[in-house]
Coordinates of all heavy atoms in Angstrom, one line a residue:
M1 N 15.2 10.3 4.6 CA 14.0 9.5 5.0 C 12.9 10.3 5.5 O 11.7 10.1 5.0 CB 14.5 8.5 6.1 CG 13.4 7.8 6.9 SD 12.4 6.7 5.9 CE 13.4 5.3 6.1
N2 N 13.1 11.4 6.3 CA 12.1 12.2 6.8 C 11.4 12.9 5.6 O 10.1 13.1 5.6 CB 12.6 13.3 7.7 CG 12.7 12.7 9.1 OD1 12.1 11.6 9.4 ND2 13.5 13.3 10.0
N3 N 12.1 13.3 4.6 CA 11.6 13.9 3.5 C 10.6 13.0 2.7 O 9.5 13.3 2.4 CB 12.7 14.4 2.5 CG 12.1 15.2 1.3 OD1 11.2 16.0 1.5 ND2 12.6 14.8 0.2
A4 N 11.0 11.7 2.6 CA 10.2 10.8 1.9 C 8.9 10.5 2.7 O 7.8 10.4 2.1 CB 11.0 9.5 1.7
V5 N 9.0 10.5 4.0 CA 7.8 10.3 4.8 C 6.9 11.5 4.6 O 5.7 11.3 4.5 CB 8.3 10.1 6.3 CG1 7.1 10.4 7.3 CG2 8.9 8.7 6.5
N6 N 7.4 12.7 4.6 CA 6.5 13.8 4.4 C 5.9 13.8 3.0 O 4.7 14.1 2.8 CB 7.3 15.1 4.5 CG 7.7 15.3 6.0 OD1 7.1 14.8 6.9 ND2 8.8 16.1 6.2
I7 N 6.6 13.4 2.0 CA 6.1 13.3 0.6 C 5.0 12.2 0.6 O 4.0 12.4 -0.1 CB 7.2 13.0 -0.4 CG1 8.3 14.1 -0.4 CG2 6.6 12.8 -1.8 CD1 8.0 15.4 -1.1
L8 N 5.2 11.1 1.3 CA 4.2 10.1 1.3 C 2.9 10.6 1.9 O 1.8 10.3 1.3 CB 4.8 8.9 2.2 CG 3.8 7.8 2.4 CD1 3.6 7.0 1.1 CD2 4.4 6.8 3.4
E9 N 3.0 11.4 2.9 CA 1.8 12.0 3.5 C 1.1 12.9 2.4 O -0.2 12.9 2.3 CB 2.1 12.8 4.7 CG 0.9 13.2 5.5 CD 1.3 13.6 6.9 OE1 1.9 14.7 7.1 OE2 1.1 12.8 7.9
E10 N 1.9 13.6 1.7 CA 1.3 14.5 0.6 C 0.6 13.6 -0.4 O -0.5 14.0 -0.9 CB 2.4 15.3 -0.1 CG 2.9 16.5 0.8 CD 3.9 17.3 0.0 OE1 3.8 17.4 -1.2 OE2 4.9 17.8 0.7
I11 N 1.2 12.5 -0.7 CA 0.6 11.6 -1.7 C -0.8 11.0 -1.2 O -1.7 10.9 -1.9 CB 1.6 10.4 -2.1 CG1 2.7 11.0 -2.9 CG2 0.9 9.4 -2.9 CD1 3.8 10.0 -3.2
Y12 N -0.8 10.7 0.1 CA -2.0 10.2 0.7 C -3.1 11.2 0.6 O -4.3 10.9 0.3 CB -1.8 9.8 2.2 CG -1.0 8.6 2.5 CD1 -0.5 8.4 3.7 CD2 -0.9 7.6 1.5 CE1 0.2 7.2 4.0 CE2 -0.2 6.4 1.8 CZ 0.4 6.2 3.1 OH 1.1 5.1 3.4
T13 N -2.8 12.5 0.9 CA -3.8 13.6 0.8 C -4.3 13.7 -0.6 O -5.5 13.9 -0.9 CB -3.1 14.9 1.3 OG1 -2.6 14.7 2.6 CG2 -4.1 16.0 1.3
D16 N -6.7 11.0 -1.5 CA -8.1 11.2 -0.9 C -8.8 12.2 -1.8 O -10.0 12.0 -2.1 CB -8.0 11.8 0.5 CG -7.5 10.7 1.5 OD1 -7.5 9.5 1.2 OD2 -7.1 11.1 2.6
T41 N 4.6 -0.9 1.6 CA 6.0 -0.7 1.4 C 6.7 -0.5 2.8 O 6.0 0.0 3.7 CB 6.2 0.5 0.5 OG1 5.7 1.7 1.2 CG2 5.6 0.4 -0.9
G42 N 8.0 -0.7 2.8 CA 8.7 -0.4 4.0 C 8.6 1.0 4.4 O 8.5 1.3 5.6
L43 N 8.6 2.0 3.5 CA 8.5 3.4 3.8 C 7.2 3.7 4.5 O 7.2 4.5 5.5 CB 8.6 4.2 2.5 CG 8.4 5.7 2.7 CD1 9.5 6.3 3.5 CD2 8.3 6.4 1.3
E44 N 6.1 3.0 4.2 CA 4.9 3.2 4.9 C 4.9 2.7 6.3 O 4.2 3.3 7.2 CB 3.7 2.5 4.1 CG 3.5 3.2 2.7 CD 2.4 2.5 1.9 OE1 2.7 1.4 1.4 OE2 1.3 3.0 1.8
I45 N 5.7 1.7 6.6 CA 5.9 1.3 8.0 C 6.6 2.4 8.7 O 6.3 2.7 9.9 CB 6.6 -0.1 8.0 CG1 5.9 -1.1 7.1 CG2 6.7 -0.5 9.5 CD1 4.5 -1.4 7.4
A46 N 7.7 2.9 8.1 CA 8.4 4.0 8.7 C 7.5 5.2 9.0 O 7.6 5.8 10.0 CB 9.6 4.4 7.8
Y47 N 6.6 5.5 8.1 CA 5.7 6.6 8.2 C 4.8 6.3 9.4 O 4.6 7.2 10.3 CB 4.9 6.7 7.0 CG 3.7 7.6 7.1 CD1 3.8 9.0 7.0 CD2 2.4 7.1 7.2 CE1 2.8 9.9 7.2 CE2 1.3 8.0 7.3 CZ 1.5 9.3 7.3 OH 0.4 10.2 7.4
I48 N 4.2 5.1 9.6 CA 3.3 4.8 10.7 C 4.1 5.0 12.0 O 3.6 5.6 12.9 CB 2.8 3.4 10.5 CG1 1.9 3.3 9.3 CG2 2.1 2.9 11.8 CD1 1.5 1.9 9.0
R49 N 5.3 4.5 12.0 CA 6.0 4.6 13.3 C 6.4 6.0 13.6 O 6.4 6.4 14.8 CB 7.3 3.7 13.2 CG 8.1 3.7 14.5 CD 9.0 2.6 14.6 NE 9.6 2.5 15.9 CZ 10.4 1.6 16.3 NH1 10.8 0.7 15.6 NH2 10.9 1.7 17.6
D50 N 6.7 6.8 12.6 CA 7.0 8.2 12.8 C 5.8 9.0 13.3 O 6.0 9.9 14.1 CB 7.5 8.8 11.4 CG 8.1 10.2 11.6 OD1 9.2 10.3 12.1 OD2 7.4 11.1 11.2
R51 N 4.6 8.7 12.8 CA 3.5 9.5 13.1 C 2.7 9.1 14.3 O 2.0 9.9 14.9 CB 2.5 9.5 11.9 CG 3.0 10.2 10.6 CD 3.4 11.6 10.9 NE 3.6 12.4 9.6 CZ 4.8 12.7 9.1 NH1 5.9 12.3 9.7 NH2 4.8 13.4 8.0
L52 N 2.8 7.8 14.7 CA 2.1 7.4 15.9 C 2.8 7.9 17.1 O 4.1 7.8 17.2 CB 2.0 5.9 16.0 CG 1.1 5.2 15.0 CD1 1.1 3.7 15.2 CD2 -0.3 5.8 15.1
T53 N 2.1 8.5 18.1 CA 2.7 9.1 19.2 C 2.2 8.4 20.5 O 1.3 7.6 20.5 CB 2.3 10.6 19.4 OG1 0.9 10.7 19.3 CG2 2.9 11.4 18.2
W57 N 2.3 3.2 19.2 CA 3.1 2.2 18.4 C 3.2 0.9 19.2 O 3.1 -0.2 18.6 CB 4.5 2.8 18.2 CG 5.4 1.8 17.5 CD1 6.5 1.2 18.1 CD2 5.3 1.3 16.2 NE1 7.1 0.3 17.2 CE2 6.4 0.4 16.1 CE3 4.4 1.5 15.1 CZ2 6.6 -0.3 14.9 CZ3 4.6 0.8 14.0 CH2 5.7 -0.1 13.9
I114 N -5.6 2.4 13.4 CA -4.5 3.3 12.9 C -5.0 4.1 11.7 O -4.2 4.4 10.8 CB -3.2 2.5 12.6 CG1 -3.5 1.5 11.5 CG2 -2.6 1.9 13.9 CD1 -2.2 1.1 10.8
Y115 N -6.3 4.3 11.6 CA -6.9 4.8 10.4 C -6.2 6.0 9.7 O -5.9 5.9 8.5 CB -8.4 5.2 10.7 CG -9.2 5.5 9.4 CD1 -9.7 4.4 8.6 CD2 -9.4 6.8 9.0 CE1 -10.4 4.7 7.5 CE2 -10.1 7.0 7.8 CZ -10.6 6.0 7.1 OH -11.3 6.2 6.0
P116 N -5.8 7.0 10.5 CA -5.2 8.2 9.8 C -3.8 7.8 9.1 O -3.4 8.6 8.2 CB -5.0 9.2 10.9 CG -5.9 8.8 12.0 CD -6.0 7.3 11.9
V117 N -3.2 6.8 9.6 CA -1.8 6.5 9.1 C -1.8 5.2 8.3 O -0.7 4.7 8.0 CB -0.8 6.5 10.2 CG1 -0.7 7.8 10.8 CG2 -1.1 5.4 11.3
R118 N -3.0 4.6 8.0 CA -3.0 3.3 7.3 C -2.3 3.4 6.0 O -2.3 4.5 5.3 CB -4.5 2.8 7.2 CG -5.2 3.6 6.2 CD -6.7 3.5 6.5 NE -7.6 4.2 5.4 CZ -7.7 5.5 5.3 NH1 -7.1 6.3 6.1 NH2 -8.5 5.9 4.3
P119 N -1.8 2.3 5.5 CA -1.0 2.3 4.2 C -1.9 2.4 3.0 O -3.2 2.3 3.1 CB -0.3 1.0 4.2 CG -1.1 0.1 5.0 CD -1.7 0.9 6.1
L120 N -1.3 2.7 1.8 CA -2.1 2.8 0.6 C -2.9 1.6 0.3 O -4.0 1.6 -0.2 CB -1.2 3.2 -0.5 CG -1.9 3.6 -1.9 CD1 -2.7 4.8 -1.7 CD2 -0.9 3.7 -3.0
R123 N -6.1 2.1 1.8 CA -6.8 3.2 1.3 C -7.4 2.9 0.0 O -8.5 3.5 -0.4 CB -5.8 4.4 1.1 CG -5.4 5.0 2.5 CD -4.2 6.0 2.3 NE -3.5 6.2 3.6 CZ -3.7 7.2 4.4 NH1 -4.5 8.2 4.1 NH2 -3.1 7.2 5.6
V154 N 3.9 5.5 -5.1 CA 4.4 5.2 -3.7 C 5.5 4.2 -3.7 O 6.5 4.4 -3.0 CB 3.2 4.7 -2.9 CG1 3.7 4.1 -1.6 CG2 2.2 5.9 -2.6
L157 N 8.7 6.0 -4.9 CA 9.2 6.9 -3.8 C 10.1 6.0 -2.9 O 11.1 6.6 -2.3 CB 8.0 7.5 -3.0 CG 8.4 8.4 -1.8 CD1 9.0 9.7 -2.4 CD2 7.1 8.8 -1.1
D158 N 9.8 4.7 -2.8 CA 10.6 3.9 -1.9 C 11.4 2.8 -2.7 O 11.7 1.7 -2.3 CB 9.6 3.1 -1.0 CG 10.3 2.4 0.2 OD1 11.5 2.8 0.5 OD2 9.7 1.5 0.7
F166 N 1.6 -6.4 4.8 CA 1.6 -5.3 5.8 C 2.0 -5.8 7.2 O 2.8 -5.2 7.9 CB 0.3 -4.7 5.8 CG 0.1 -3.6 6.8 CD1 1.0 -2.6 6.9 CD2 -1.1 -3.5 7.6 CE1 0.8 -1.5 7.9 CE2 -1.2 -2.5 8.5 CZ -0.3 -1.5 8.6
L170 N 5.2 -4.9 9.5 CA 5.2 -4.4 10.9 C 6.0 -5.2 11.8 O 6.6 -4.7 12.7 CB 3.7 -4.4 11.3 CG 2.8 -3.2 10.8 CD1 1.4 -3.5 11.2 CD2 3.3 -1.9 11.2
A173 N 9.5 -3.9 11.8 CA 9.5 -2.4 11.7 C 10.8 -1.8 12.2 O 11.2 -0.7 11.6 CB 8.3 -1.9 12.5
F176 N 13.1 -1.0 9.3 CA 12.8 0.1 8.4 C 13.0 1.5 9.1 O 13.4 2.4 8.4 CB 11.3 0.0 8.1 CG 10.9 -1.3 7.4 CD1 10.1 -2.2 8.0 CD2 11.5 -1.7 6.2 CE1 9.8 -3.4 7.5 CE2 11.2 -2.9 5.6 CZ 10.4 -3.7 6.3
Y177 N 12.8 1.5 10.4 CA 13.0 2.8 11.0 C 14.4 3.2 11.0 O 14.7 4.4 10.8 CB 12.5 2.7 12.5 CG 12.4 4.0 13.2 CD1 11.4 4.9 12.8 CD2 13.2 4.4 14.2 CE1 11.2 6.1 13.4 CE2 13.0 5.6 14.9 CZ 12.1 6.5 14.4 OH 11.9 7.7 15.1
C180 N 15.4 2.4 5.8 CA 14.4 1.8 4.9 C 15.0 1.1 3.7 O 14.7 -0.1 3.4 CB 13.4 2.8 4.5 SG 12.1 2.1 3.5

Side-chain angles (χ1 to χ4, degrees):
M1 166 66 86
N2 277 344
N3 184 45
V5 161
N6 291 337
I7 301 284
L8 178 65
E9 192 163 71
E10 287 182 34
I11 293 178
Y12 287 161
T13 302
D16 290 344
T41 59
L43 177 64
E44 291 177 286
I45 306 304
Y47 169 77
I48 291 170
R49 185 160 185 179
D50 187 74
R51 294 301 195 257
L52 289 182
T53 54
W57 175 251
I114 61 157
Y115 191 79
V117 296
R118 69 202 188 287
L120 187 65
R123 292 168 196 261
V154 165
L157 183 64
D158 193 22
F166 176 49
L170 283 173
F176 302 115
Y177 194 65
C180 184

